[in-house]
Amino acid sequence: MEGNMLNRFEKFVYNITEIDLYWHRLAANVMKEHGLKGNYVVYFTMLHKFSDGLTALELSKTCGRDKADISRDVAALVAKGLMKRIQGVNAKYRTRILLTEEGRKVADTVIKRAETAVFHVGGHLDDEERETFYKVLDQITDNMRTLSQSGFPAVEAPEMAHGKASEEGRA
């Protein structure tokens, strides 16, 4: 059983790492067309989705980025005329970040490319497979988030402790 758990772990980590690598390459290629860094791509998709804008904290949470990175990156994109800040009611803390007209054009390109990529990498899945995939992916993400916040449990994984497969915690 121990080898099985290790094999699943290796396969999971390798596949996620490889997907992340390819995603970053694709994002870098799309953003390069606009003279921008690849890591900016998530800002454009999120701000396109939330057309009323987001605060730095909201953008940080939705993009999974550190607030310091958000501040630095947004400042660069504001300087390029792709984003703007709209002062909120509570001064600095309610300032919303929005796309400018030029930024919206970049976002439109990014979204079209993202839709094309999703079609090419997942177009072979039927609706039921896609629904199951995203449900499982969400569960694994939630479990990984919880584990990273709380730390490793003090006990061994159920498979290791009892010599049988557990119904929970399977990556």
Side-chain angles (χ1 to χ4, degrees):
M1 285 294 172
E2 186 174 325
N4 186 30
M5 183 70 78
L6 182 58
N7 289 341
R8 287 190 349 225
F9 173 78
E10 289 172 345
K11 182 174 180 58
F12 174 77
V13 169
Y14 178 77
N15 284 340
I16 294 295
T17 302
E18 191 173 11
I19 288 168
D20 186 59
L21 170 72
Y22 297 138
W23 181 88
H24 282 286
R25 283 184 189 167
L26 291 169
N29 288 338
V30 170
M31 297 312 284
K32 185 179 180 180
E33 295 171 12
H34 301 283
L36 301 169
K37 295 179 184 178
N39 64 314
Y40 293 166
V41 78
V42 293
Y43 304 145
F44 285 94
T45 59
M46 284 300 120
L47 291 174
H48 186 274
K49 180 178 180 178
F50 296 97
S51 58
D52 291 342
L54 296 169
T55 65
L57 180 60
E58 291 168 336
L59 191 58
S60 172
K61 286 180 180 180
T62 59
C63 295
R65 299 278 168 82
D66 184 80
K67 267 184 59 177
D69 290 339
I70 297 288
S71 295
R72 185 175 38 257
D73 293 345
V74 167
L77 293 165
V78 166
K80 291 181 179 284
L82 299 170
M83 291 182 185
K84 61 184 174 183
R85 291 185 177 107
I86 303 295
Q87 200 69 9
V89 177
N90 292 344
K92 183 179 178 183
Y93 299 103
R94 298 305 313 164
T95 299
R96 300 193 77 67
I97 303 161
L98 293 97
L99 294 172
T100 63
E101 192 58 40
E102 242 355 85
R104 202 159 266 298
K105 290 176 187 175
V106 172
D108 288 342
T109 300
V110 166
I111 288 165
K112 285 177 187 168
R113 289 308 233 5
E115 288 171 347
T116 300
V118 168
F119 174 77
H120 283 284
V121 302
H124 65 284
L125 299 174
D126 64 36
D127 290 343
E128 185 178 336
E129 290 171 320
R130 189 174 294 106
E131 184 177 332
T132 299
F133 171 77
Y134 283 113
K135 179 180 178 185
V136 170
L137 186 61
D138 286 344
Q139 289 171 342
I140 291 171
T141 301
D142 290 345
N143 291 343
M144 292 293 282
R145 183 183 306 109
T146 300
L147 186 61
S148 74
Q149 291 169 346
S150 62
F152 283 102
V155 297
E156 294 178 342
E159 245 180 55
M160 307 292 269
H162 304 296
K164 62 181 180 175
S166 166
E167 292 302 313
E168 295 182 23
R170 297 177 148 238

